[in-house]
Amino acid sequence: MKAAQRTVRLELTEPLRISRSTMAAREAVWLTIEHEGLRGHGEAVTSVYYGLDAETLGRLLHAEALWSARFADPETALEALRSGTGRTTAPPAVTAAVEAALLDLVGKRAGLPVHRLLNPHGTPPSAATARTIGITTPERAVHQAGRLVRDGFSILKLKAGAPDPAEDLARVRAVRAAAPHARLLLDPNGAWTVRESERLLPLYAELGVEAVEQPLAPGDPEALAHLAERSPLPVIADEDAIGFEDARRLAGRVQGINVKLAKCGGVGAALRIAELIAGTGTELMLGCLTASTLGIAPAVHLADRARWVDLDGHLLLAADPWTGIGGGDGTVRAGRGPGLGVRRSGAEEAPA
């Protein structure tokens, strides 16, 4: 097997403001693994929060490519990746990208989509996805919500955590009035204190918000669990639920866990977390970072396993360089084609 990589810049249609930052673009590193004339692709994106820039991602993906080249075929490499055989520890985002490329390649070699590799008798997953509205004026939020509902979105996720909590309340009230039938999720990205959460959550419950992600600053999962015990809204752990051990500590103590492949380590890791929390009263949310269709696609193959699906990262881009999972009408769909079922926009394959 041989591998190559390419770094590209992903521009957002408009800057996305959350409680801790505003993002207008990010870089993505594409990994391509080739074997016997077929290519598998994966993507890792930069993240200030996780301390990953393009140079670091490129260096780590190069090391992983050298590791994968030791194996006779992608099937053996995928098995070794999941068992950790002979690997040094890589950040979860890098492991997820390597696994995605191998899954894509294994699926193409078998003539099967990834979801059939995971469940031989399954049908192509599809799910209504949330669409994110950043911290903005109520007027702008209402305009965005109206357009999204007309396009077919039934779930809207509103970012919260403005310096003045009244701004968030005004924005959510305005969106609720403009989209009375939409399901609303709220995400302060850890911006509130316990006291603020106890004051604000009942107000959002009255507005019909369905659930809140990570209201408290990460680092104290016990506080998050205690808040979830008395919250009038389901509490979904995100920044406090990075990997399996975090999920184990919170299983049965919060109402949801947001699993992102880039933070837990890929499809295999996500499936282990899903199995862990099944039956505990904690339900699965599938989330993502802002990324291209290539970066979002692996999670779409798991979409039928989640209560909440928030796989809209590719929909925030001014120009998505990949296609194959839809989403513009409010529903993401795993492709029926082999592997991840994605392709370069306007092309059959990415360059090796």
Side-chain angles (χ1 to χ4, degrees), residues 34 41 56 58 60 73 80 88 105 107 116 118 125 143-144 150 186 203 213 218 243 313 332:
E34 183 174 356
H41 308 290
T56 300
L60 293 170
D73 54 59
T88 57
L105 185 51
R116 289 283 303 279
L118 304 175
H143 173 76
Q144 291 178 333
R150 288 191 297 273
L186 194 68
L203 301 178
E213 286 183 60
V332 289

Side-chain angles (χ1 to χ4, degrees), residues 128-133 141-142 144-146 148-149 153-160 168-188 192 201 203-213 232-236 285 307-310:
T129 180
R131 181 65 157 79
T132 300
I133 296 176
V142 164
Q144 291 178 333
L148 293 170
V149 169
F153 287 87
S154 59
I155 312 169
L156 304 176
K157 183 167 99 168
L158 292 106
K159 292 292 187 176
D168 293 331
L169 277 167
R171 183 169 57 260
V172 177
R173 285 194 182 105
V175 169
R176 169 49 76 211
H181 303 297
R183 297 167 58 192
L184 300 184
L185 304 175
L186 194 68
D187 185 8
W192 297 342
L201 290 178
L203 301 178
Y204 286 113
E206 291 176 4
L207 291 172
V209 171
E210 183 173 319
V212 59
E213 286 183 60
L233 290 177
V235 171
I236 302 170
M285 179 178 194
R307 174 178 174 180
W308 299 284
V309 172
D310 180 24

